[in-house]
Every structure is written in C-alpha cells, then in structure tokens.
Amino acid sequence: MISFIQVDLELNKKTIFRELNLTVQPGELVYIVGKSGSGKTTLLKSLYMDIRPKKGEIQIAGYSSRTIRKHKIPHLRRKLGIVFQDFRLLEDRSVYDNLAFVLKVTGTKEKLVKEKVMHALQSVGLEHSARQMPHCLSGGEQQRVAIARAIVREPLVVLADEPTGNLDPDTSIEILEYLKRINQKGITVLVGTHDYELVRHSPSRTLQISDMNLVESCLVESETGYRPVPAAACQS
Ligand SMILES: Nc1ncnc2c1ncn2[C@@H]1O[C@H](COP(=O)(O)OP(=O)(O)O)[C@@H](O)[C@H]1O
Ligand SMILES: [Mg+2]
C-alpha cells in the first residue's frame, strides 16, 4: 500500500529524511512519533505528494512519485483521506455540506451524495448533527466531522497529522477509537503524533523518527512519562 525506497526528503535544502525505507501493508494502523520538528508532517505531506522526494521513490495507492504526472496528483488524493490538527472545516456551511462538497467536486450524483454523507456521519456517531454549523460543535465533534469527511470518498489510506493535538486526553482517546474503527474496516491509517500517552493507550505499530530515518519502536514508562525506544530494547 505504501513504500518508501531509499527516499531523501528536503525542505528548503535542509535534509529531513535520508535514505528512508518503509513498507506499510494494506490494513495497518501505524503511528509516526517523534519530537516537534522531527519531520512527522513532512513525511505525511510526502505521501499526498505535497513534497516530492529529492531521491528515491515513494509508492502509495498504486501511484509512484517517480512517474506520477502533476495533473494526476488530485486523482491520488481522492484515494486518501487527510485529517489535520486544526480540523480545517469550511466554517460557512453545515456539517452535511462540508462532506457533500468533497463528493460534488468529483461529480457524485445527488442521491448518492446523501447516502454517502449520512453513512460517513454515522460512522463517527454524528448523523444527528448534519444540519449544524461547525462552530456549534465541540472540538472533538469537529474532529469527528473531519474524520467523516476524510472517509466519505472511501479512501484506501487515511493520513492524520496530530489529530488530537487540540483536544483533551479523554477526547483524544475517543478520536483514536474512531480512527481504529475505520482501520478495522480495512482502511490503512497513519497517525503522526507526539502524544505518547495516547499511543500507549492504544498500542499499534510505532515508528519513531530518529536520525533522519524511521525506527520500529515501542513506548516505555520513564520518570517524565512514556517515551519511545527502539524495538530491540522492548520487552516482548
Ligand atoms: N517550509 C519549510 N522550510 C524549511 N524548513 C522547514 C519548513 N517547514 C518545516 N521545516 C523544518 O523541517 C523540520 C521538520 O518539520 P515538520 O515535518 O513540520 O516536523 P513535525 O511535524 O514532526 O513537528 C523542522 O526542523 C522544521 O523546522
Ligand atoms: Mg507536524
């Protein structure tokens, strides 16, 4: 589903990843963890081809960074759902219309739009909020709308960049439960986060950014809370 093959990623000539290799299988839920500024956002952006590799190749959902033409990038993005820390809902329209919008731009028929929007809202428990405006909802509810919007086109992969960064711990756990549920339907999910408590609460494959690369990791308890350590140092 996702492969990085000897990938170098740069931002303004600064190397963020060097010779990165990674394979994510269809249906996995993977955390990308690391300190602020370590490159979580950069990695996720490279997957929706907002950042193109300097070297190597990224493969995702049947597309390759080597061969994809610029005008095909929107086609790739239709196979992905993206969730941001700050929700990024359209404030001037209802919850329903936020979801309907992404279907209408690709020409989905009206009758099908309603069906798909309501189905996506149901999967985050917000079918009764369809007519609400985003600002009337709590932060957690707004992020659930953003998750519904991310899945309304039935993507192969959901990329979530610090999806709980603006939420309290209980709400964060709830958001992760919805992401897990989506994953259980077969969608591959990547979550960039520095919330180690959350990862500890819902363990799954964890990759730590270290030394411009990714290391398979687990979380161990330390005096200052949980922290990631390389898998070799983890107890089984
Ligand atoms: N537009 C940019 N130009 C140059 N460097 C950047 C740019 N955006 C981010 N960076 C740097 O790239 C590194 C990785 O950033 P980022 O991927 O946002 O990390 P994270 O999401 O883990 O906090 C950081 O050191 C950051 O300062
Ligand atoms: Mg970031």
Side-chain angles (χ1 to χ4, degrees):
M1 181 59 58
I2 294 172
S3 293
F4 287 76
I5 306 157
Q6 292 290 104
V7 170
D8 284 10
L9 291 175
E10 281 183 8
L11 284 175
N12 292 336
K13 307 237 151 102
K14 181 180 166 194
T15 304
I16 312 294
F17 287 95
R18 181 169 289 150
E19 294 179 6
L20 176 62
N21 291 294
L22 167 68
T23 305
V24 176
Q25 303 295 342
E28 279 195 273
L29 188 159
V30 180
Y31 293 108
I32 309 293
V33 303
K35 288 190 285 265
S36 218
S38 58
K40 301 179 291 294
T41 297
T42 303
L43 187 85
L44 294 170
K45 279 184 170 175
S46 77
L47 286 170
Y48 55 92
M49 298 204 191
D50 203 28
I51 297 171
R52 306 292 289 271
K54 205 75 194 159
K55 273 205 261 166
E57 178 179 7
I58 301 172
Q59 297 169 345
I60 178 165
Y63 291 89
S64 161
S65 63
R66 274 199 184 283
T67 54
I68 192 169
R69 305 276 294 272
K70 215 173 179 173
H71 70 275
K72 288 287 186 192
I73 291 178
H75 293 244
L76 160 68
R77 290 182 186 162
R78 277 171 221 160
K79 298 192 175 185
L80 311 176
I82 307 174
V83 177
F84 301 97
Q85 176 171 354
D86 55 357
F87 324 137
R88 300 200 194 174
L89 301 174
L90 301 169
E91 291 296 333
D92 64 342
R93 61 197 81 188
S94 68
V95 165
Y96 181 94
D97 288 336
N98 264 272
L99 271 67
F101 178 77
V102 296
L103 293 170
K104 286 176 180 168
V105 290
T106 46
T108 309
K109 300 227 164 39
E110 199 67 45
K111 188 167 163 264
L112 215 53
V113 167
K114 186 165 184 205
E115 216 173 278
K116 285 175 183 278
V117 167
M118 293 317 289
H119 185 254
L121 285 175
Q122 266 164 20
S123 44
V124 295
L126 284 177
E127 64 274 28
H128 302 298
S129 301
R131 292 286 152 213
Q132 300 248 34
M133 295 301 277
H135 68 262
C136 298
L137 304 177
S138 69
E141 287 168 336
Q142 289 188 47
Q143 192 61 302
R144 281 154 62 190
V145 174
I147 291 171
R149 179 183 57 185
I151 59 168
V152 75
R153 280 195 299 216
E154 296 162 51
L156 298 170
V157 181
V158 166
L159 305 171
D161 192 0
E162 306 272 11
T164 62
N166 286 3
L167 305 172
D168 62 68
D170 286 344
T171 309
S172 297
I173 287 169
E174 195 187 326
I175 288 299
L176 208 72
E177 288 301 319
Y178 285 111
L179 290 172
K180 273 164 55 183
R181 241 184 259 180
I182 286 162
N183 175 246
Q184 279 155 10
K185 289 184 197 164
I187 299 176
T188 308
V189 178
L190 262 70
V191 182
T193 184
H194 66 265
D195 185 347
Y196 300 141
E197 296 287 330
L198 185 70
V199 176
R200 181 68 190 193
H201 187 272
S202 293
S204 195
R205 184 180 178 194
T206 303
L207 299 164
Q208 184 193 1
I209 300 173
S210 168
D211 220 1
M212 293 191 262
N213 220 299
L214 287 172
V215 192
E216 302 280 349
S217 294
C218 71
L219 295 175
V220 294
E221 203 166 2
S222 69
E223 279 158 26
T224 51
Y226 292 105
R227 65 181 174 85
V229 297
C234 304
Q235 289 172 329
S236 53

